[in-house]
Amino acid sequence: MQNFIYYNPTKVVFGKDSISKLSTLLPSAKIMLIYGGGSIKNNGIYQQVIEQLEGHDWCEFSGVEPNPEFETLMKAVSMVKSEDVEFILAVGGGSVIDGAKFVAAATDFEGEPWDILAKGAKVKSAKSLGCILTLPATGTETNTSSVVTRREYNLKLPFMSEHVRPQFAVLDPEVTYSLPERQLANGVVDAFVHVIEQYLTYPVNASVQDRFAESILSNLIDIGPQVLMSKDYELRANLMWNATQALSGLIGAGVPQDWSTHMIGHELTALYNLDHAVTLAIILPRVMQHQREHKREKLLQYAERVWGLSRYDEEGAINLVIEKTEQFFRDMGIKTTLSEYDIDSDVAEKVASRLEKAGKTKIGERQNITPEDVRKIVTASL
Ligand code: NZQ
Ligand code: ZN
C-alpha cells in the first residue's frame, strides 16, 4: 500500500427528513443559497430549505447550469461580494455543488479566478460552504473537487482544494424521487466509474480499499437497474451512500489512480455537450481493452470478485468482463458508442490534440497513455 493522509471532515447528515436539521448546521452569518434551473422549486426542496433559513440573513442565486458555466459563477461571485456573504449553501446536483465550490474559491482569490482552472493556481482560502445533495452521482458532496465549464473557450476543467470541501452534506434519499430516469442512470454510471478509476489499476496490497471498492461496484450493479423502476426508499438510500463513498477519498487512499476515462470524457462534454456519465460509459470499455495488459491482474480480480467469472481462461475472462461492464451501462439505458450520438470520426483527432495542447500527454495510473493512445481509444469508441 502507498503512503497516504486521510482526512474527510465533512459532516454527513443522512436520512429521511434530514433537511429539517439544516438550521442547526448553519452558522449565524450571511448566507447565500445557490441552486440550479429550478428542479428544487418543483419538488418542494426549496420550500423546505426556506423554512430552515428563517431567522437567518440570506440571499439567493439561481440558474447554475448542468456543467456549471464560468460566466454564471462569476455573477454569483459578484453577489457574494456585494451582499457580504460569508457562507454558501448549495442545493442541487454535482453541477450546483461544484459551482458553489468555485464561487467560494474565486471570491477569496487574489488575481484572475480563471487561473484556478486554467493554470492550476493555488487556492489559499475560500468562503465556507455546506450542501444539500439532490442527485447521487459525483461524490462532490464530501470531496475537494470541482469541475467548471467555460463555453466561450469550449473548455471543461477541474480544480481541487481542501478549502472547498463542504463543511456539511445533507443527504435525504427522498429528494431523489423527482429525478428523471436519465439522471438516475447517469448517477449510477458516474459512481461506478469513480470506483473503477481508483480500483482497476495495478495491485498494491490494499485490501480494505479493494474489498470496499468491490462491494460498491457489486452494490451498484445490483441497485442500478432497480432504481430505474422503483422509488423504494432503501434502494434510494443505498444508491446515495454508495455514490458518496465512491468518491469520498476513502477507497482512493494509498492506491494508484487512473482517471484517463474522466479526462477523455471531459473533452467529449466540452466538445459535444454529452452528459458526463454518458462520456464515461462510452470511453471506459475502450480504456479497459486498450490497457488490458497493464491492468491484467486487477481485471482478473474484478472479473472474479465482482462478476463471479473464473480465471481459468484469462483472456476469455477479460473479454467477458469488459463486455459485461459495457452491457451494464446499456442496461442502465445509456448508449455506449459515439456513433449512436451522431458523432463522427474526426472526434478522435480533436480529443487527442486538445489533451496534447493542455499538456495531458501521459495519463492513466502508469502515465503511459499518450495522445496517440487517446486517438486509438476514441476511435475504438465510435
Ligand atoms: O438544475 P436543476 O434544476 O437542479 O436540475 C438538475 C439538472 O438539470 C437535475 N436535478 C438535480 N437534482 C434533481 C434534478 N431533477 C429532479 N429532481 C432532483 N432531485 O438534474 C440535472 C443534472 O444535474 P447535474 O448537477 O448537472 O448532474 P450531476 O450531479 O451528475 O453533476 C454533473 C457535474 O458534476 C461534475 C461533472 O463533470 C458535471 O459537471 N463532476 C464532479 C465531480 C466532483 N466534484 O468530484 C466528479 C465527477 O466525476 C464529475 O466530473
Ligand atoms: Zn465522474
Side-chain angles (χ1 to χ4, degrees), residues 178-193:
S178 59
L179 279 168
E181 226 176 87
R182 168 180 163 192
Q183 299 303 345
L184 283 166
N186 280 347
V188 169
V189 170
D190 192 20
F192 191 88
V193 180

Side-chain angles (χ1 to χ4, degrees), residues 188-237:
V188 169
V189 170
D190 192 20
F192 191 88
V193 180
H194 292 160
V195 179
I196 290 279
E197 299 261 37
Q198 300 163 93
Y199 164 78
L200 199 66
T201 58
Y202 53 85
V204 291
N205 282 316
S207 61
V208 168
Q209 295 89 323
D210 274 8
R211 296 274 186 195
F212 196 1
E214 285 152 2
S215 72
I216 297 174
L217 294 171
S218 302
N219 291 341
L220 291 170
I221 291 164
D222 179 28
I223 298 165
Q226 295 185 64
V227 293
L228 297 184
M229 295 181 299
S230 159
K231 289 192 173 165
D232 177 72
Y233 176 81
E234 296 300 332
L235 282 174
R236 297 299 173 97

Side-chain angles (χ1 to χ4, degrees), residues 190 194 262 276 280:
D190 192 20
H194 292 160
H262 270 71
H276 172 62
L280 308 177

Side-chain angles (χ1 to χ4, degrees), residues 14-230:
F14 190 98
K16 264 182 204 180
D17 298 324
S18 45
I19 299 175
S20 67
K21 302 194 176 76
L22 177 64
S23 66
T24 64
L25 301 166
L26 292 168
S28 53
K30 177 83 181 250
I31 295 163
M32 184 171 87
L33 163 63
I34 181 164
Y35 58 97
S39 68
I40 64 165
K41 290 209 165 153
N42 300 330
N43 59 19
I45 297 171
Y46 180 82
Q47 197 49 42
Q48 292 178 57
V49 171
I50 298 295
E51 282 162 21
Q52 294 295 311
L53 285 168
E54 217 181 287
H56 287 272
D57 187 11
W58 64 280
C59 59
E60 68 175 59
F61 182 92
S62 64
V64 178
E65 319 72 356
N67 304 311
E69 168 62 39
F70 176 79
E71 301 296 341
T72 308
L73 302 174
M74 288 310 291
K75 288 182 192 151
V77 170
S78 301
M79 187 165 177
V80 169
K81 288 181 177 165
S82 65
E83 298 269 340
D84 280 331
V85 168
E86 286 171 66
F87 188 88
I88 300 173
L89 174 64
V91 183
S95 295
V96 168
I97 299 172
D98 280 10
K101 288 176 172 180
F102 180 73
V103 172
T107 304
D108 275 19
F109 191 72
E110 288 171 18
E112 171 50 61
W114 177 238
D115 291 350
I116 298 172
L117 299 156
K119 297 186 182 163
K122 196 171 164 52
V123 172
K124 294 183 185 144
S125 72
K127 292 275 169 265
S128 301
L129 74 150
C131 65
I132 299 175
L133 179 73
T134 64
L135 198 176
T138 61
T140 187
E141 60 275 15
T142 74
N143 74 30
T144 58
S145 303
S146 161
V147 190
V148 172
T149 294
R150 192 163 185 181
R151 286 179 183 81
E152 184 192 353
Y153 301 159
N154 258 353
L155 289 173
K156 183 175 182 193
L157 299 168
F159 81 98
M160 287 171 91
S161 167
E162 197 56 61
H163 296 291
V164 299
R165 194 195 293 274
Q167 286 185 353
F168 64 78
V170 175
L171 307 185
D172 178 351
E174 291 193 311
V175 305
T176 68
Y177 293 158
S178 59
L179 279 168
E181 226 176 87
R182 168 180 163 192
Q183 299 303 345
L184 283 166
N186 280 347
V188 169
V189 170
D190 192 20
F192 191 88
V193 180
H194 292 160
V195 179
I196 290 279
E197 299 261 37
Q198 300 163 93
Y199 164 78
L200 199 66
T201 58
Y202 53 85
V204 291
N205 282 316
S207 61
V208 168
Q209 295 89 323
D210 274 8
R211 296 274 186 195
F212 196 1
E214 285 152 2
S215 72
I216 297 174
L217 294 171
S218 302
N219 291 341
L220 291 170
I221 291 164
D222 179 28
I223 298 165
Q226 295 185 64
V227 293
L228 297 184
M229 295 181 299
S230 159

